[in-house]
Amino acid sequence: DGDAFRNAGLAHVLAVSGLHVGLVVGVALVAIRVAVRGRVRDAARVAALAAIPVALGFAVMAGGAPSAWRAALTATLALSACACRRRAGALHVSAAAVALLEIADPSQVVRPAFLLSVMATAAVLTTDLSGPPTRVAARISLRTTVATAPLVVWCFGGLPPLGVLANVLVVP
């Protein structure tokens, strides 16, 4: 099954990524905010602080994959900024998470999973998200394919011929 996903250009769908961390943390954030509303002065701040262990715990439960740690640390930094009543840009938070992970473990710099995660995230964060959902999905798929293509070729010896189309159909 793994080979079939790889050959279709969809291996990333099987990896724990920012999407998964974002969904889990987002649900936790909303649930905590609802649970503490009316009981504390600043429910949003309390929820942001309480969601940090959820993000980090999810990365541990997901087996510690590089993409899971990158996403969990990104969420932790963003939640910390919210708890401090600061607004942080997505690219800045993502870049800080990458830098911290590389400082903590310099061997990450040569791991394909980490490099692909960073490149794909950068491509998504810099994509114009305006327009109909199908066009946005196609734009994201194309940008991530172009951004990661050199690494995919270098690490795996080629690109799946129908990868962009498969992603446009499967990912949304």
Side-chain angles (χ1 to χ4, degrees):
D1 289 340
D3 287 341
F5 272 86
R6 257 186 304 288
N7 293 338
L10 297 170
H12 63 89
V13 174
L14 301 177
V16 175
S17 66
L19 173 65
H20 304 102
V21 174
L23 289 171
V24 169
V25 171
V27 168
L29 193 61
V30 170
I32 295 165
R33 187 180 293 178
V34 168
V36 300
R37 189 178 296 142
R39 296 184 179 146
V40 297
R41 183 191 299 175
D42 192 345
R45 190 175 191 188
V46 169
L49 286 171
I52 290 171
V54 173
L56 298 173
F58 186 76
V60 171
M61 286 181 18
S67 57
W69 277 116
R70 181 204 44 76
L73 185 55
T74 301
T76 297
L77 293 173
L79 291 165
S80 298
C82 288
C84 294
R85 295 188 182 104
R86 299 284 183 243
R87 194 174 173 104
L91 279 173
H92 294 102
V93 172
S94 186
V98 168
L100 289 172
L101 288 167
E102 289 180 0
I103 290 167
D105 183 3
S107 70
Q108 292 292 333
V109 177
V110 295
R111 289 189 67 189
F114 183 75
L115 294 171
L116 290 166
S117 174
V118 170
M119 291 304 295
T121 300
V124 170
L125 291 177
T126 58
T127 299
D128 176 12
L129 301 177
S130 62
T134 53
R135 285 193 183 169
V136 171
R139 205 175 301 134
I140 288 172
S141 183
L142 181 61
R143 285 181 61 86
T144 56
T145 299
V146 169
T148 59
L151 284 169
V152 171
V153 170
W154 178 53
C155 295
F156 306 109
L159 288 173
L162 297 177
V164 175
L165 179 59
N167 277 281
V168 170
L169 296 174
V170 172
V171 173

